[in-house]
Amino acid sequence: MKRNSIIVVLLALVCSLSLVFLSGCATDQTVKSNTIKGDANISTMETAKSKAESVALEEDTLKEAALKAKREQERLMAEAAAFKEKDIHFDFDRYDLTSDARKILGEIASWLSKQNGWEITIQGHCDNRGTGEYNLALGERRAETAKSYLMSLGIAEGRIDTISYGEEMPLDPANNEVAWAKNRRDHFLVVSKK
Amino acid sequence: MRKIIALLIFSVVFWCSSAACGKVYIDINSPAFQKFPLAIPEFKDLGNMKPGENLSAWFADQLSSTLKITGFFKMISQDAFLEDQSRAGITVEEIDFSNWSSIGSDFLVKGGFSYDGKNLAVEFRLFDAIEGKLITGKKYWGKSEDKKAMVLKFADETLLALTGKGGVFDTKIAFVGKEGSSSEIYTINFDGSDPVKVTTYKSLSLSPQWSQDGAKIAFTSYKAGNPDCYVIDVASGTTQKISSFRGLNLPASWSLDGKKILMVLSKDGNEDIYIKHLDSGSLQRLTNDRAIDVSPTWSTDGKKIAFVSNRSGSPQIFVMDSEGKNVRRLTFEGSYNSSPCWSPDGTKIAYEGSSNGCFQIFSVGEDGNNLMQLTFEEGGGESPSWSPDGRYLVFSSKKNDREMVCIINANGSDLRVLPDIKGVKSSHSPSWSQHLNLY
């Protein structure tokens, strides 16, 4: 009886050991597969992380580009605004371009030819001598002459607008040669296309 | 338009010698014309005036200043009067004319007023003080507020009796009033009273032109950005855009029937003259020249058009027929002649021309003869416009950095500056209306 009991115990032990072994193998496999699963998760996480990083980088680049574009736009705006200070001037009752006027128009044309997104309005003005109506026509001629010259330098007609204010918007309202010379002018407004 | 329904004219009582006989005392167009020496003593209170209302001095002052601004009268100062006004009457029998002829007053106006509790009745009498006789007399009834109209009516009678032609007391002048960087269209009475702001766009509004019936004014405004042409009904303020081509849309002169406007358009890249037919909206092109063609003005009969062109190198006045044919150059003297305005009798054209570096007003016969310089002011003259009777010209003149609207007699005498208007810094481009039948 005692011997039988020992055999049973031994058998049970063997069985349990083999079970342990078997189950150990099984456990090992499960762990392994778990590990693989874990690896996959990690790699997914790593991809997400790199995506996030690259998005952030892209955003930075975009931000940088936007900043750059903004700076560029600001630079262009400043350059465009500078043309407001570059009136061209005319002799009394004349609308032909002086050499100074051609030089300034050359600068404007070269700038516009590089900046396709911009257009120009040319305002023609006169001094206050002579009739208002004739001066409206004269101011228009002054603007149109500058427009033709810009077109001859390759600027598309559609980018150039003209308007005459005749003698109605003098820079200097005084009645003397200095004021008159200042007032006989084309004024340029360079603006970004809408 | 103000209607004075209650204003009745009663002229049977008084003998109207000059108008009846058609006698004109003096030809005001004669180079030898001397102003009529005229005395106007205080009017007599003929009774029943409302307490506190003393119109004696008011009527004398108003009639004096009204006649004075016609430029045809030399008013005798009240300080020189010899007559005892408390005793003297207002009829031939009651006046000692030697009191007037002896102080150099060839003519005399006396008057009186009374109030019946409802209406004001005013008598006016114009006398020849040398001959000691009545020339014309009128009695008017109206409300108290019509008293200025009565004065203007009798001023008209006085001019009619002495010169054979009435005045322009019922006319207005339209002009551009600059207010800083914007400008608006204004109207003002002939005597400088009652300024009215016609536009309120806070933009640039320019070149007002009265229609022949005085009901409308055409003008150019930048209110929509481009210099477009509009017509405003003066009474109602209703405005219509009549032309908005790219470039200039400038109105210049209305036809007599009010159906056409001469315009300057630059829609084809070149300023040319067109007729705008207001009924159909159609355009008729009159000039087709590469030069600047502006400022067209119809002759009174509508058969000819004067305009400015720089086709010969500098701005000069040209004349063509109403179809744009037979163009001939009118002005040859001076390097800059512009802004023509045809006189109402059709014989001459007023314009501005450069003279010694300054612009002045000239007139020239329709045939190019009889060139006359009319203004010699330091501030010069620009943009002349005739009164409907052809006796006056309105124009603008510069002083420092301002422009003012001025009136002169057609012979160049009696310069008068229209009064300043509150808020208006500078005034230019005047246009004289036709008779508006205001009184």
Side-chain angles (χ1 to χ4, degrees):
Chain A
M1 190 59 201
K2 204 179 173 179
R3 251 175 93 183
N4 276 348
S5 296
I6 292 166
I7 287 167
V8 168
V9 168
L10 276 171
L11 271 172
L13 194 71
V14 168
C15 277
S16 72
L17 272 173
S18 66
L19 266 171
V20 166
F21 176 78
L22 282 169
S23 76
C25 281
T27 311
D28 209 4
Q29 269 183 348
T30 313
V31 169
K32 210 177 180 182
S33 102
N34 275 348
T35 310
I36 288 164
K37 268 188 193 163
D39 279 352
N41 278 343
I42 286 161
S43 87
T44 312
M45 275 167 68
E46 270 172 2
T47 311
K49 193 185 168 195
S50 81
K51 247 191 198 166
E53 268 170 9
S54 77
V55 164
L57 277 173
E58 229 168 82
E59 266 174 15
D60 277 356
T61 317
L62 277 174
K63 247 185 215 167
E64 209 171 284
L67 267 174
K68 204 176 155 196
K70 199 180 158 214
R71 274 198 298 273
E72 174 70 0
Q73 185 73 6
E74 279 169 0
R75 184 179 66 83
L76 292 176
M77 279 171 73
E79 285 178 4
F83 291 122
K84 283 192 205 167
E85 308 302 321
K86 295 201 169 179
D87 288 356
I88 60 172
H89 295 93
F90 298 85
D91 289 339
F92 176 66
D93 190 30
R94 299 303 293 260
Y95 46 88
D96 47 336
L97 300 171
T98 62
S99 57
D100 284 353
R102 282 167 199 273
K103 206 177 131 215
I104 290 173
L105 287 167
E107 287 172 30
I108 294 173
S110 124
W111 193 90
L112 283 173
S113 63
K114 281 179 249 157
Q115 311 300 342
N116 267 320
W118 292 68
E119 50 198 13
I120 185 167
T121 298
I122 308 171
Q123 300 179 343
H125 297 270
C126 304
D127 69 30
N128 65 359
R129 291 175 295 166
T131 313
E133 286 76 18
Y134 182 82
N135 279 337
L136 283 168
L138 186 63
E140 183 165 73
R141 289 300 173 102
R142 286 176 177 164
E144 289 292 330
T145 308
K147 176 180 172 178
S148 299
Y149 191 67
L150 287 181
M151 283 167 65
S152 77
L153 297 176
I155 307 304
E157 185 173 12
R159 295 174 67 194
I160 312 170
D161 201 6
T162 57
I163 190 161
S164 171
Y165 290 106
E167 61 180 76
E168 307 304 325
M169 292 171 74
L171 278 181
D172 183 342
N175 280 302
N176 56 54
E177 290 292 347
V178 178
W180 293 330
K182 248 189 258 176
N183 295 336
R184 292 189 300 265
R185 70 201 192 275
D186 271 352
H187 185 66
F188 304 108
L189 294 178
V190 178
V191 291
S192 179
K193 278 186 193 167
K194 280 160 208 155
Chain B
M1 194 153 66
R2 198 149 63 103
K3 290 267 185 206
I4 300 156
I5 295 151
L7 189 67
L8 301 170
I9 300 164
F10 177 70
S11 57
V12 181
V13 168
F14 307 111
W15 176 244
C16 187
S17 69
S18 102
C21 309
K23 178 186 172 190
V24 173
Y25 270 66
I26 293 173
D27 176 12
I28 57 154
N29 296 316
S30 154
F33 168 69
Q34 298 281 315
K35 291 182 184 186
F36 303 107
L38 174 68
I40 308 179
E42 288 194 354
F43 278 36
K44 272 224 165 304
D45 185 345
L46 301 174
N48 301 321
M49 276 316 292
K50 282 188 275 186
E53 191 160 20
N54 184 356
L55 296 174
S56 297
W58 188 90
F59 274 110
D61 291 349
Q62 282 291 311
L63 186 59
S64 255
S65 60
T66 302
L67 287 174
K68 190 164 187 285
I69 62 171
T70 66
F72 301 131
F73 295 89
K74 186 181 118 196
M75 307 310 299
I76 307 291
S77 164
Q78 292 199 8
D79 299 340
F81 293 178
L82 302 173
E83 182 184 72
D84 179 354
Q85 289 183 40
S86 62
R87 288 188 184 179
I90 62 169
T91 60
V92 172
E93 298 75 32
E94 300 166 323
I95 299 168
D96 178 356
F97 286 100
S98 67
N99 278 336
W100 300 103
S101 56
S102 64
I103 59 168
S105 184
D106 296 0
F107 300 94
L108 171 70
V109 171
K110 287 214 163 203
F113 51 88
S114 61
Y115 188 72
D116 66 3
K118 245 173 93 183
N119 288 321
L120 183 67
V122 188
E123 298 174 27
F124 297 80
R125 290 177 172 83
L126 169 67
F127 300 100
D128 180 330
I130 309 286
E131 303 261 328
K133 66 178 191 190
L134 181 74
I135 298 170
T136 186
K138 294 276 172 183
K139 186 169 183 177
Y140 305 104
W141 286 269
K143 301 286 177 213
S144 180
E145 59 268 27
D146 298 329
K147 59 186 185 291
K148 181 160 181 200
M150 297 177 189
V151 168
L152 295 177
K153 270 199 164 297
F154 192 71
D156 205 57
E157 290 294 335
T158 304
L159 271 186
L160 179 66
L162 296 182
T163 70
K165 197 156 77 172
V168 285
F169 304 108
D170 62 337
T171 61
K172 287 176 184 275
I173 291 154
F175 61 93
V176 174
K178 290 199 86 172
E179 312 168 345
S181 60
S182 66
S183 66
E184 306 285 1
I185 308 297
Y186 282 79
T187 62
I188 196 164
N189 288 347
F190 157 80
D191 61 359
S193 64
D194 195 21
V196 175
K197 195 173 183 171
V198 177
T199 63
T200 49
Y201 302 141
K202 295 187 166 45
S203 174
L204 279 176
S205 294
L206 305 168
S207 296
Q209 306 289 343
W210 284 99
S211 65
Q212 299 287 339
D213 63 0
K216 292 171 181 167
I217 295 173
F219 61 97
T220 292
S221 180
Y222 286 71
K223 70 180 181 129
N226 193 63
D228 298 328
C229 180
Y230 301 81
V231 169
I232 189 165
D233 183 285
V234 180
S236 69
T238 311
T239 308
Q240 194 193 349
K241 191 189 266 191
I242 64 157
S243 181
S244 54
F245 293 105
R246 193 195 156 273
L248 302 177
N249 298 270
L250 305 176
S253 176
W254 289 74
S255 64
L256 265 180
D257 61 9
K259 291 183 174 169
K260 294 178 281 183
I261 300 182
L262 277 171
M263 292 196 70
V264 172
L265 302 174
S266 63
K267 62 191 181 75
D268 299 328
N270 185 13
E271 305 79 11
D272 273 309
I273 293 166
Y274 296 77
I275 294 176
K276 172 94 180 176
H277 296 263
L278 293 175
D279 288 345
S280 64
S282 66
L283 282 174
Q284 181 186 347
R285 187 171 190 156
L286 297 184
T287 64
N288 198 343
D289 193 284
R290 292 180 55 167
I292 292 175
D293 292 333
V294 288
S295 302
T297 169
W298 257 305
S299 62
T300 314
D301 62 8
K303 289 181 179 161
K304 288 176 200 151
I305 294 166
F307 65 102
V308 173
S309 178
N310 70 347
R311 60 186 67 186
S312 52
S314 67
Q316 297 291 343
I317 317 259
F318 289 75
V319 174
M320 61 186 172
D321 65 30
S322 57
E323 301 296 311
K325 303 282 189 304
N326 300 313
V327 179
R328 64 183 162 92
R329 184 170 163 181
L330 185 71
T331 54
F332 290 90
E333 282 193 39
S335 60
Y336 193 124
N337 296 305
S338 67
S339 206
C341 183
W342 219 299
S343 70
D345 67 1
T347 61
K348 57 193 169 196
I349 290 158
Y351 63 94
E352 67 177 78
S354 66
S355 163
N356 301 322
C358 175
F359 285 88
Q360 299 289 359
I361 307 295
F362 293 81
S363 75
V364 65
E366 192 261 326
D367 56 2
N369 295 321
N370 297 322
L371 178 67
M372 266 177 69
Q373 182 171 345
L374 299 177
T375 61
F376 297 87
E377 305 307 311
E378 198 189 328
E382 293 183 7
S383 303
S385 171
W386 293 93
S387 61
D389 62 358
R391 282 174 169 174
Y392 309 93
L393 281 159
V394 65
F395 60 95
S396 62
S397 183
K398 293 186 168 79
K399 191 174 186 186
N400 301 323
D401 59 351
R402 297 181 58 208
E403 283 184 276
M404 302 160 304
V405 174
C406 306
I407 293 172
I408 46 163
N409 285 18
N411 64 7
S413 72
D414 291 84
L415 179 93
R416 178 163 66 89
V417 181
L418 290 185
D420 287 344
I421 296 165
K422 205 180 160 201
V424 175
K425 188 167 183 287
S426 197
S427 311
H428 64 82
S429 304
S431 166
W432 209 313
S433 78
Q434 294 295 316
H435 289 283
L436 300 173
N437 300 316
L438 296 173
Y439 309 111

